Amino acid sequence: MADELRATLFEVEGWGWIGLVASDRGLRALFLPRPSAEALRKVMRKEYDEVPFADNDPFLTDVTSQVAAYLRGDLHEFSIPLDLRGHTAFALGVWAATSRIDYGQTRAYRWVADQVGGGGAGIYQAVGSALGSNPVPLVVPCHRVVG
C-alpha cells in the first residue's frame, strides 16, 4: 500500500506562509515561512509535486494550530507524531538529541555530537549536515543548536 501524503499551507501573522506535508504516520515536512502562498507552493512542489492539498484534514489542522501557537510564543513543546522514514540512523539520532533541548535553551554542536556517540574527524560537520537536512524545523528545534 502506497503512502498517502497530503499537504496544506497556512499564514501566520508576522511570519508568512508555512507549509506542511503529512502521511498517515505523522508529519513528514514543515516548510519555513515564505512571503506568499504562491512562493511557498512553488518551493513545496519541488519536493512534493504530486501531493494533494487537503485544507480540512484534522491532523494537519492540529499541526497548523500548534505551529501557529509556537510562533506566537504560546506553545513551548509540540505533541506531533513524526514520519521521518527514509533518513539515516545518524540523522535520526541527531534529531532525537536536538529534540531533547528544552525551549529557551541552546546547545553546541559538540553537545549534540556527544549525544550521538561523539568523537572522530568530521563529527561536527556531520551534525551540521544532519541539522541542515531536518525536514521538520521548529518541531525538531535545530535552531537551538549553535556554534
Side-chain angles (χ1 to χ4, degrees), residues 2 9 13 18 33 41 45 48-49 74 76 78 86 92 123 132 138:
L9 48 93
E13 186 176 341
I18 296 170
R41 197 178 294 265
R45 288 294 179 217
Y48 293 98
D49 187 39
D74 297 334
H76 297 158
F78 291 99
L92 294 172
I123 187 71
L138 301 180

Side-chain angles (χ1 to χ4, degrees), residues 1 10 22 40-41 48-49 55 61 65-66 74 78 80 88-89 93 107 112-113 115 120-121 129-130 137:
M1 182 173 146
F10 62 99
L40 177 61
R41 197 178 294 265
Y48 293 98
D49 187 39
D55 294 327
T61 299
S65 296
Q66 288 189 50
D74 297 334
F78 291 99
I80 297 171
T88 67
R107 296 289 183 270
V112 177
Q115 301 302 300
S129 180

Side-chain angles (χ1 to χ4, degrees), residues 10-30:
F10 62 99
E11 186 176 20
V12 176
E13 186 176 341
W15 289 91
W17 288 86
I18 296 170
L20 305 171
V21 176
S23 73
D24 292 336
R25 295 183 186 202
L27 185 64
R28 176 78 60 93
L30 185 153

Side-chain angles (χ1 to χ4, degrees), residues 40-117:
L40 177 61
R41 197 178 294 265
K42 184 176 180 181
V43 170
M44 291 175 73
R45 288 294 179 217
K46 287 180 183 176
E47 191 170 347
Y48 293 98
D49 187 39
E50 300 296 322
V51 175
F53 283 84
D55 294 327
N56 296 316
D57 181 88
F59 177 73
L60 290 172
T61 299
D62 179 51
V63 176
T64 296
S65 296
Q66 288 189 50
V67 170
Y70 180 84
L71 292 174
R72 286 192 312 268
D74 297 334
L75 180 75
H76 297 158
E77 187 174 322
F78 291 99
S79 60
I80 297 171
L82 302 177
D83 179 1
L84 301 177
R85 290 174 292 157
H87 297 282
T88 67
F90 180 79
L92 294 172
V94 167
W95 301 334
T98 303
S99 294
R100 293 191 299 271
I101 303 171
D102 290 334
Y103 181 86
Q105 301 295 310
T106 58
R107 296 289 183 270
Y109 285 91
R110 179 182 183 137
W111 181 87
V112 177
D114 289 345
Q115 301 302 300
V116 296

Side-chain angles (χ1 to χ4, degrees), residues 117-141:
I123 187 71
Y124 303 124
Q125 291 86 356
V127 166
S129 180
L131 291 172
S133 67
N134 174 8
V136 288
L138 301 180
V139 179
V140 173

